[in-house]
Structures are given as C-alpha cells and as structure tokens.
Amino acid sequence: MNKKCFFLVKSILIYAFIYSLDFFVWATLKFVPKSFAFKLAKYKIAPLPIIPQFINRYALRNRISKCLIFKQKKVFNCTSCLSLTLTGKFLCDLISIRTEIHLGMLHFLDNSKTPHAWLYDPINEIELTLRMVNNSINVIELHKF
C-alpha cells in the first residue's frame, strides 16, 4: 500500500470516528435533561496513557478542528453546535490538549438571537469550532467552562 492510499484511509477513518462520536453526543443530548449537558461540559476525560507520547498532538488537534468546522459549515442532520463542541472537547481531552467551552448567543441582523457553543484552545489562542456563524453580527458570550 503506498503512502497516499494509507493517508487517505487514515483520514477517512478519523473523519468517520469523529462523525460517529458527534452523532452519539447529539443523540445523548436529545434524550437527557438539559442540566446533564452542563455536567457533561464540565466533565474532564482522562487522557489516553499511550497515544499522546507517540503522535503529534497539535497536528491531530488541527485535523479534529478542520473536521468539526467542515461539519459546522455544511448543513448536516443530527448535529448541533453543542454536540460538535462536546465532541471536540472529548477528543482533545483524550490527547491532552486543554480546551474551553464557550456558551453564548448569536445576534443576527434581524435582531433574533440563537444559543451557540464553540470550543477554544486557550494556550494557542485559537478557535477549534466556529464562533461566528452565517450572517451573525455579534456574539454575546454568556459562560465559559
């Protein structure tokens, strides 16, 4: 198997895993009380003992971020900004990347407001999921975990 084929298969498996985990988180959020979602956001998963030593954590973080942003930009069923944020948080916890979950309100041009969640890496000061979404003019940040 040549390198291009191996890279393609590896990428497809990573994206399939992230999409599956996102669907599981979304389904869990649909059927549990809302107070459980806040407990889930505060929960920290212990990192895998072997994986962080053998991989480039920041390259994997960037790949996770690209996948989550791609899914956030496209219209997919069975997902939400909160499920994408929690999925990214769980995956970053597994590879020992510190993240923060930010909760806020998107303020649109027609003065409507929609709740929104995004994931932020405070060490490198980058957003792992999108803060601003389609035609929103402002984000009113309400809480940070």
Side-chain angles (χ1 to χ4, degrees):
M1 194 188 263
N2 63 18
K3 284 187 177 185
K4 285 184 181 182
C5 187
F6 176 74
F7 181 74
L8 181 63
V9 169
K10 184 175 78 169
S11 295
I12 289 171
L13 289 175
I14 289 172
Y15 280 80
F17 175 72
I18 292 171
Y19 282 28
S20 300
L21 182 61
D22 178 50
F23 175 76
F24 176 74
V25 171
W26 175 82
T28 301
L29 290 173
K30 286 292 182 190
F31 297 111
V32 298
K34 299 300 179 202
S35 61
F36 181 74
F38 286 109
K39 290 179 183 176
L40 197 59
K42 291 179 181 180
Y43 185 73
K44 176 124 173 86
I45 296 176
L48 295 174
I50 297 171
I51 291 180
Q53 298 169 6
F54 296 110
I55 61 170
N56 183 346
R57 295 179 315 152
Y58 296 105
L60 187 55
R61 181 209 56 203
N62 291 340
R63 182 171 286 166
I64 291 168
S65 178
K66 284 180 187 177
C67 180
L68 294 174
I69 288 174
F70 174 77
K71 196 166 184 189
Q72 193 174 14
K73 284 182 179 179
K74 303 294 180 188
V75 177
F76 281 94
N77 293 331
C78 304
T79 191
S80 67
C81 60
L82 183 57
S83 71
L84 287 170
T85 300
L86 289 175
T87 300
K89 179 193 177 301
F90 295 152
L91 293 172
C92 288
D93 284 350
L94 285 175
I95 59 173
S96 299
I97 301 279
R98 187 172 154 229
T99 56
E100 294 177 350
I101 294 177
H102 293 244
L103 299 175
M105 293 292 246
L106 294 175
H107 184 218
F108 293 97
L109 293 173
D110 62 353
N111 286 332
S112 63
K113 295 178 183 172
T114 305
H116 183 56
W118 64 97
L119 193 62
Y120 181 74
D121 180 354
I123 304 227
N124 296 308
E125 299 180 356
I126 59 170
E127 294 174 356
L128 300 178
T129 59
L130 296 176
R131 179 177 186 212
M132 298 296 280
V133 182
N134 305 341
N135 300 329
S136 59
I137 58 171
N138 199 3
V139 176
I140 306 161
E141 190 166 327
L142 302 174
H143 196 72
K144 168 168 66 168
F145 293 96

